[in-house]
Amino acid sequence: MSVCRYFSAAVVCAAVVCSGTVSAQQAAPQGFLYGVGIGVNQEIYRGYSNRTIPLPILGYRGEKLSVYGPFISYKLLELGNISFSAKLAPRFAGFDQSDSSVFSGMAKRKDSLDGGIGVQLRQQDWLLEADTVFDLLGNSNGRESKLAVGYSYRFAAVVIEPKFGISYSDGKLVNYYYGVRENEATAERAAYKAGGAVNYNAGLSLSTPLFFGGMTRFGIEHHWYGSSISDSPLTDRDTGLSAFLSWSTFF
């Protein structure tokens, strides 16, 4: 979950059909693709155990443009093993009163759309990624910056990629999803204004072309959330897990 999540992300769709370092040693195939995916996220909101997101995959991967459902990136510049891209990605982080009793009497917090710039540095089997995105719909008006490093191991037809990351979500973003406004405060839920948060994550993904003529991917990730998130009266834990499973192939 968390404000650093695209579910993907962030983690799911871009990670689902385009693993980070798998293509570092070989040319990635191009063209239109389709498939299916599902992501499950362990929420840290009180009374809200899991969030499940089914993702039909329909997209395109070209030399510069990549479209994976609502996840879009366009390569702006490539200098050797460094590339710069513009990015669009949904943020599945909203809630309403029906999601948990802890949100009773609170205004809806909306999912949103983020856009920004990303940088990738590839060095053999290593991949270093950094990006900064902004809320384009004006729901939180917040910003998030991320830095991640991954390494790929190939065992026969299976690629295994551990990945570690850190992110910073500014106060506007964190407060929108974890703050409690004065007019939302109750005896059981105090008013709370959240500040910026530094979050960490570590995960492992597996990719293989062995099943049904396409690419199957599975990933799991553990998240550690900053104190301004875990101290919110809306949350009851400071860690959580997310996982995804997908299959995709080119037309």
Side-chain angles (χ1 to χ4, degrees):
M1 167 244 149
S2 111
V3 292
C4 65
R5 165 198 61 207
Y6 293 114
F7 214 27
S8 233
V11 189
V12 176
C13 207
V16 161
V17 293
C18 183
S19 65
T21 58
V22 170
S23 60
Q25 303 268 348
Q26 58 191 25
Q30 298 182 7
F32 291 93
L33 54 85
Y34 67 94
V36 292
I38 187 170
V40 180
N41 194 79
Q42 183 182 35
E43 296 287 343
I44 62 173
Y45 287 122
R46 296 179 184 273
Y48 191 169
S49 57
N50 297 306
R51 187 191 301 254
T52 301
I53 301 177
L55 285 172
I57 300 168
L58 182 64
Y60 170 80
R61 182 162 61 198
E63 183 177 352
K64 292 187 176 182
L65 176 65
S66 296
V67 180
Y68 305 123
F71 296 78
I72 302 173
S73 67
Y74 184 83
K75 187 180 296 182
L76 300 171
L77 180 66
E78 190 167 18
L79 300 172
N81 57 353
I82 302 176
S83 62
F84 300 83
S85 300
K87 295 186 173 185
L88 287 176
R91 181 177 294 275
F92 301 115
F95 61 78
D96 60 31
Q97 296 188 46
S98 65
D99 290 324
S100 170
S101 60
V102 75
F103 305 132
S104 178
M106 295 186 65
K108 180 178 180 179
R109 303 305 198 259
K110 299 178 181 179
D111 294 340
S112 198
L113 179 68
D114 292 339
I117 299 294
V119 181
Q120 287 190 334
L121 169 62
R122 297 184 183 274
Q123 186 64 41
Q124 296 181 339
D125 291 320
W126 290 94
L127 175 65
L128 180 67
E129 298 177 286
D131 63 62
T132 296
V133 296
F134 302 85
D135 177 12
L136 298 181
L137 301 185
N139 293 324
S140 70
N141 291 308
R143 170 181 56 87
E144 182 177 60
S145 298
K146 298 186 293 182
L147 179 66
V149 59
Y151 185 85
S152 65
Y153 302 87
R154 183 178 294 276
F155 297 96
V158 179
V159 174
I160 301 174
E161 182 180 9
K163 195 171 187 179
F164 304 90
I166 182 173
S167 69
Y168 173 75
S169 302
D170 72 3
K172 292 180 180 179
L173 184 59
V174 178
N175 191 58
Y176 181 74
Y177 290 111
Y178 297 96
V180 178
R181 300 163 186 169
E182 293 288 344
N183 64 349
E184 297 173 330
T186 66
E188 294 77 28
R189 184 181 61 219
Y192 180 72
K193 185 173 183 179
V198 177
N199 309 296
Y200 302 90
N201 61 83
L204 185 71
S205 64
L206 292 84
S207 306
T208 180
L210 293 177
F211 303 109
F212 310 111
M215 181 64 71
T216 301
R217 293 187 170 90
F218 170 76
I220 188 167
E221 194 168 58
H222 193 279
H223 307 267
W224 295 265
Y225 302 109
S227 59
S228 64
I229 293 177
S230 61
D231 289 345
S232 168
L234 303 179
T235 65
D236 59 4
R237 55 190 300 152
D238 59 4
T239 66
L241 290 171
S242 64
F244 71 84
L245 177 64
S246 73
W247 175 88
S248 62
T249 188
F250 285 87
F251 286 104

